[in-house]
Amino acid sequence: MHNHDLPPAQRGAGADQVLAGYLRKQAGDFLRGLRLQGESGADTHGAAEAARTLRRAGHRIRGTLHTFRPLLDPAWADQLRAELAWVSGVLAEEHACTARLARLLDALARLSGTQPVPAARTRSGGAGTAGPTEGSRAAGSPAEDGPTEGSRAAGSRAGRGPAPEEAAAAPAAGRRGGLTVGGARAGALLERQLTLGRTRAHSAALQALGSSRFHAVADAVALLASEVPLAGTAAATAGAPGAALAAHAEIAERRLHDAVTALPLARAARPYNAEALVHSLATASAGEAQDAPWHQVRHLLRLHAYAQEVLHAGCGTGPGRRLTTAGRTLDRHRDAAEAAAAAAAAARTPRIAPATAYALGVLHADQRHEVEAARFAFQRAWQEAPRGPDGPRDEHALAAP
């Protein structure tokens, strides 16, 4: 990316002006989320929205500090990045447990043909489990940096639910099979485990938000909203065009290219290749090792997207449709992989009934197939590029490997 690739509004701006303006905006959003958090009180929806705002702004600040670190005070940037990573991790866990539970219960209901699975919870001795299912789903806020379907559509019944006549026959078929009973018990087990995890995460988040460490982070972000510590090199280029920003953004783009090139996209291009399922059946560590490169690409894709937001901040534009679509598919990939891991962990619960273990095994396989579907969708989104006068192009696009 060169200076002539910058938007017209940025070509005459100094690197410090563009970078400081973007960071101040994100710091303002972070402080707004902090204010919403204080005003939410007992409003769970407001608290979830405030946490989402904090995470979104924190992710963008962290990504910008990482990509454009040479233009900033390195010691300050590294410390703030580490503290924002801590805040994001604390705030994200409760949302993750809520969304994971909703995803797994939706998948169980679809697989067993019952609606909803947790309705059988009280009949299977699960009465008294904390948190009703509908409340759990209502508490799930949209996925960070994406609409709700980015984190839950892959596990929903959309486009794959039974036809009306099939739905009418499903209860009878379920009574003849073992998945319905096992699914109800598996749903109750998952609800107990993930609700417990969500409760612990909620307590940890409240404790963190009231700690002196978090107040120190809030103070640092408040200072960032008024003054951005720049390195000497950035100050020296204050009057030059924003080519320095483009150069560092190009490094982030190149790292993403290299990571995508290392992915097995050729195998992912073949639907139903069972790659995501076969390797995950060996050991939990094998499945995690297989997913790790895809998670890394997701991380680098977000860094690249945030860099594009910095470059085009003055134009009101950001990453193009291709990057957005690819990012959502990798969100689905992560959510499905984590849901499969949660199903596998529940299946390792001592002394569970064989029908429950069977239902959890089917659920694990279903989520691993969702992992495979997300990989297939990613490689299609990555290869897609509308043709322009000089070949394949996309707004702020990357060249397909």
Side-chain angles (χ1 to χ4, degrees), residues 30-31 34 80 212-225:
F30 187 93
L31 296 176
L34 187 60
L80 185 55
S212 58
R213 182 180 181 182
F214 179 79
H215 287 298
V217 176
D219 290 342
V221 175
L223 290 175
L224 177 62

Side-chain angles (χ1 to χ4, degrees), residues 149-188:
E149 61 266 22
S151 61
R152 289 178 52 189
S156 69
R157 297 172 297 280
R160 299 198 300 173
E165 61 275 10
E166 295 172 341
R175 284 192 294 270
R176 291 192 297 270
L179 185 56
T180 301
V181 175
R185 293 175 179 174

Side-chain angles (χ1 to χ4, degrees), residues 89 132 135 151 192 267 295 311 343 381:
S151 61
R192 285 194 296 270
R267 181 177 292 275
H295 296 333
L311 293 180

Side-chain angles (χ1 to χ4, degrees), residues 44-45 48 93-106 116-119 121 128-143 148 151-152 187-199:
T44 56
H45 177 74
E93 187 59 29
E94 181 181 1
H95 164 70
C97 289
T98 301
R100 197 171 302 138
L101 176 61
R103 181 188 186 92
L104 289 170
L105 293 180
D106 285 348
V117 168
R121 176 167 55 87
T129 303
T133 301
E134 292 302 323
S136 301
R137 296 181 188 181
S141 63
T148 305
S151 61
R152 289 178 52 189
L189 176 60
L190 288 168
E191 189 173 15
R192 285 194 296 270
Q193 292 184 348
L194 291 175
T195 299
L196 177 61
R198 182 181 62 191
T199 302

Side-chain angles (χ1 to χ4, degrees), residues 174-266:
R175 284 192 294 270
R176 291 192 297 270
L179 185 56
T180 301
V181 175
R185 293 175 179 174
L189 176 60
L190 288 168
E191 189 173 15
R192 285 194 296 270
Q193 292 184 348
L194 291 175
T195 299
L196 177 61
R198 182 181 62 191
T199 302
R200 290 174 175 170
H202 180 72
S203 300
L206 291 179
Q207 184 177 5
L209 291 174
S211 66
S212 58
R213 182 180 181 182
F214 179 79
H215 287 298
V217 176
D219 290 342
V221 175
L223 290 175
L224 177 62
S226 59
E227 181 182 357
V228 178
L230 296 168
T233 54
T237 60
L245 292 176
H248 292 293
E250 188 175 8
I251 294 175
E253 180 179 343
R254 192 180 309 119
R255 289 172 179 166
L256 174 60
H257 269 299
D258 294 341
V260 173
T261 302
L263 293 178
L265 291 185

Side-chain angles (χ1 to χ4, degrees), residues 27-66:
D29 290 344
F30 187 93
L31 296 176
R32 179 171 62 86
L34 187 60
R35 185 181 69 252
L36 293 175
Q37 183 76 30
E39 297 173 352
S40 61
D43 180 9
T44 56
H45 177 74
E49 180 61 27
R52 180 171 178 263
T53 301
L54 286 171
R55 293 199 313 271
R56 283 171 59 91
H59 279 305
R60 281 166 168 77
I61 295 173
R62 285 171 52 207
T64 303
L65 296 181
H66 174 82

